[in-house]
């Protein structure tokens, strides 16, 4: 009876082991999730900073394909590209509103100003003068922008869109602040100034600024964005001839390589 019990246990363990191996093999051999891609094709011109709509159906980017920097919109499913801006000045750094209905972008001629326009139809209008960039809060109730006046240090300002009230959040020691990116959780804003990459809590002011480590080229990029999991930043930077997507956790300063390709 003891021998039979021992054999039964052995057979049971063997069956469990075989089942585990079978499940693992099935998992490893199954194809991964399907990734849909939309290729711009042989654009032939430089593509600048880009923004994707909240539903993933549209990508706005700037390019000098027309002879000057303009804003274009790509429809992801069809691959159709439409030019959305005209007139003098270089247009750059398009940013979708959280609801995907409008765009912010910068126009630089004699000065740099922030303009807004509907995504597909309607006229553009100047929103803020003398600024190098802006971004919406996730709830679309506020706007953060970089004020740049001749001979003065650049500064960050937050405007309440309902009341029009403004408050200074940060003053730099340098004359330019760029690449403003409001985090999806509404707490942090990422930006560059002459000291490198930083994040700030606009509601708490200058004392909340965190200087980020300049790793894997984050200090040289204008394509930085927040992941949908708050407090992680993403950007692209080549490594050994490969295009690499990097991630930085702002609370720990840890840099990770997420994806590499040709």
């Amino acid at each position: 009876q003891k021998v039979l019990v021992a054999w039964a246990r052995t057979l049971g363990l063997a069956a469990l082991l075989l089942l585990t191996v079978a499940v693992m093999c099935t998992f490893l051999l199954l194809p991964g999730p399907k990734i849909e891609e939309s290729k711009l094709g042989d654009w032939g011109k430089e593509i600048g900073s880009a923004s994707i709509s909240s539903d993933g159906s549209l990508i706005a980017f700037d390019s000098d394909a027309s002879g000057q920097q303009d804003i274009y919109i790509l429809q992801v499913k069809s691959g159709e590209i439409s030019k959305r801006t005209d007139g003098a000045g270089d247009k750059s750094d398009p940013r979708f509103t959280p609801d995907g209905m409008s765009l912010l972008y910068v126009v630089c001629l004699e000065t740099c100003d922030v303009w807004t326009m509907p995504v597909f139809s309607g006229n553009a209008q100047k929103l803020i003068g003398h600024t190098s960039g802006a971004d919406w809060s996730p709830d679309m109730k506020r706007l953060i922008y970089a004020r740049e006046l001749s001979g003065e240090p650049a500064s960050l300002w937050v405007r309440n869109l309902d009341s029009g009230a403004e408050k200074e959040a940060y003053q730099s020691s340098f004359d330019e602040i760029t690449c403003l990116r409001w985090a999806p959780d509404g707490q942090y804003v990422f930006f560059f100034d002459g000291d490198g990459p930083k994040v700030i809590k606009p509601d708490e002011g200058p004392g909340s600024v965190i200087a980020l480590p300049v790793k894997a080229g984050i200090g040289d990029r204008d394509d930085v964005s927040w992941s949908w999991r708050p407090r992680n930043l993403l950007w692209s930077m080549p490594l050994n001839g490969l295009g690499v997507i990097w991630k930085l956790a702002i609370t720990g300063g840890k840099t990770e390589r997420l994806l590499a390709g040709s």
Side-chain angles (χ1 to χ4, degrees), residues 29-195:
L29 292 175
L30 283 174
K34 183 179 179 182
I35 299 175
E36 295 184 4
E37 295 182 349
S38 180
K39 185 178 180 181
L40 294 181
D42 298 324
W43 186 244
K45 299 290 184 178
E46 180 181 353
I47 294 175
S49 55
S51 175
I52 188 167
S53 61
S54 57
D55 63 0
S57 65
L58 302 173
I59 296 174
F61 63 94
D62 56 76
S63 173
D64 61 358
S66 64
Q68 68 176 13
Q69 206 80 3
D70 277 297
I71 305 298
Y72 294 79
I73 293 179
L74 164 71
Q75 298 186 51
V76 173
K77 286 187 177 181
S78 67
E80 180 182 349
I81 298 173
S82 56
K83 180 171 172 284
R84 277 297 287 125
T85 54
D86 289 300
D90 288 331
K91 299 90 178 173
S92 62
D93 200 22
R95 307 293 300 158
F96 279 102
T97 53
D99 63 5
M101 301 300 294
S102 301
L103 283 170
L104 281 178
Y105 59 100
V106 178
V107 181
C108 290
L109 193 54
E110 295 181 357
T111 62
C112 289
D113 309 312
V114 166
W115 288 63
T116 183
M117 66 178 174
V119 170
F120 282 118
S121 62
N123 297 324
Q125 59 179 354
K126 186 167 76 171
L127 190 61
I128 303 173
H130 299 279
T131 178
S132 58
D135 200 15
W136 309 92
S137 65
D139 59 8
M140 291 185 58
K141 293 182 177 180
R142 295 181 294 169
L143 193 72
I144 189 165
Y145 69 95
R147 178 178 291 175
E148 295 183 359
L149 301 175
S150 179
E152 297 182 13
S155 54
L156 288 178
W157 289 75
V158 178
R159 174 181 292 184
N160 185 302
L161 296 178
D162 290 331
S163 66
E166 293 189 333
K167 179 181 179 181
E168 186 179 47
Y170 172 76
Q171 187 171 88
S172 174
S173 301
F174 300 87
D175 60 2
E176 187 178 34
I177 295 175
T178 60
C179 196
L180 276 66
R181 301 290 184 263
W182 210 315
D185 65 358
Q187 291 192 45
Y188 289 94
V189 172
F190 172 86
F191 67 96
F192 284 119
D193 69 1
D195 278 333

Side-chain angles (χ1 to χ4, degrees), residues 95 179 181 190 192 218 221-226 233-236:
R95 307 293 300 158
C179 196
R181 301 290 184 263
F190 172 86
F192 284 119
I218 189 174
R221 311 303 297 172
D222 62 359
D223 55 2
V224 178
S225 63
W226 291 93
L233 292 163
L234 304 175
W235 71 99
S236 63

Side-chain angles (χ1 to χ4, degrees), residues 199-211:
V199 293
I200 186 174
K201 290 184 176 181
D203 295 329
E204 297 182 13
S208 67
V209 171
I210 301 173

